[in-house]
Amino acid sequence: MKQGMIKGLLALVIIAATVGAFFVGKNLPADTQLELYSALRDTSAIVFGVMGAWIAIIYPESLSKIYRSPQRKDAESEVKSIGRLIKPMIVAAVIVASTLVAQFVAPILRSFDVLSPLYSSIRGLSFSFLIILLAVQLVTILEVMLVSFTFRREVRLRQAEDSFEKGFMAGKEKNKPNKK
């Protein structure tokens, strides 16, 4: 229930920001917006690269099972195990592609004199789109942080279990009676 409320509130904030961005964006020069698109593209590319490296370093055996397993069931279970890391990569790739398209389309739209009365509205829509992409990227980065905290907790739990088992087993060895 609480998680649903948080998601609903987040969606409401994103919608409000998007509507507000339309009005702000109408007066924001296209060149400034293109710089913001570039910054978002670069950030998303970094997220994509980091997540790819993280998957390759942490789950190399999962990757080989996904691509080499003759049984589909094994590959699907491996995909589920690294799915929380693949999703941010997909989102980052979509954002990179979206920003590239926006940066490609913007100069083309500016070349049509017929659209000049609509330039203000087009800039508003563009900035709204940018804010949506930014919100999606921020949510994705937060998810990545949650995954990293979860991973870190799991590693620490395993270390604690291993330490406990070693200590417990060492205690048993000490308490064994001598057979002479």
Side-chain angles (χ1 to χ4, degrees):
M1 177 73 175
K2 191 175 187 178
Q3 191 176 22
M5 247 174 62
I6 291 172
K7 285 183 180 180
L9 183 62
L10 182 62
L12 191 62
V13 167
I14 291 171
I15 290 169
T18 303
V19 170
F22 176 79
F23 295 106
V24 171
K26 288 173 83 171
N27 298 316
L28 198 61
D31 291 337
T32 303
Q33 289 189 31
L34 288 175
E35 289 175 21
L36 295 173
Y37 273 104
S38 292
L40 182 60
R41 183 198 63 226
D42 294 347
T43 303
S44 295
I46 290 168
V47 169
F48 183 83
V50 167
M51 296 313 299
W54 197 6
I55 290 170
I57 291 168
I58 295 174
Y59 296 106
E61 59 279 342
S62 293
L63 288 174
S64 68
K65 285 180 186 177
I66 289 169
Y67 290 108
R68 294 192 181 123
S69 178
Q71 295 181 354
R72 184 180 179 114
K73 198 175 205 179
D74 292 338
E76 286 176 2
S77 70
E78 294 300 325
V79 168
K80 284 182 183 178
S81 73
I82 61 174
R84 291 182 72 187
L85 298 177
I86 290 176
K87 181 187 171 213
M89 282 184 66
I90 293 169
V91 170
V94 168
I95 291 173
V96 167
S98 299
T99 57
L100 286 173
V101 168
Q103 289 176 313
F104 179 77
V105 169
I108 294 171
L109 290 178
R110 279 191 261 177
S111 70
F112 292 113
D113 291 334
V114 174
L115 296 175
S116 62
L118 300 174
Y119 283 167
S120 176
S121 295
I122 292 171
R123 282 194 312 268
L125 288 172
S126 171
F127 197 60
S128 292
F129 182 62
L130 181 65
I131 292 300
I132 290 169
L133 292 177
L134 176 65
V136 169
Q137 186 64 69
L138 287 173
V139 168
T140 302
I141 289 172
L142 290 174
E143 287 176 355
V144 168
M145 290 171 59
L146 288 174
V147 168
S148 68
F149 291 140
T150 302
F151 179 75
R152 186 172 153 205
R153 187 183 71 221
E154 287 175 10
V155 168
R156 286 187 175 170
L157 283 173
R158 286 183 186 165
Q159 287 174 339
E161 287 172 359
D162 290 348
S163 176
F164 176 76
E165 286 177 7
K166 286 179 185 175
F168 183 73
M169 295 306 276
K172 285 199 172 223
E173 294 295 321
K174 289 180 185 176
N175 294 333
K176 277 188 177 178
N178 289 338
K179 291 185 181 179
K180 288 189 180 182

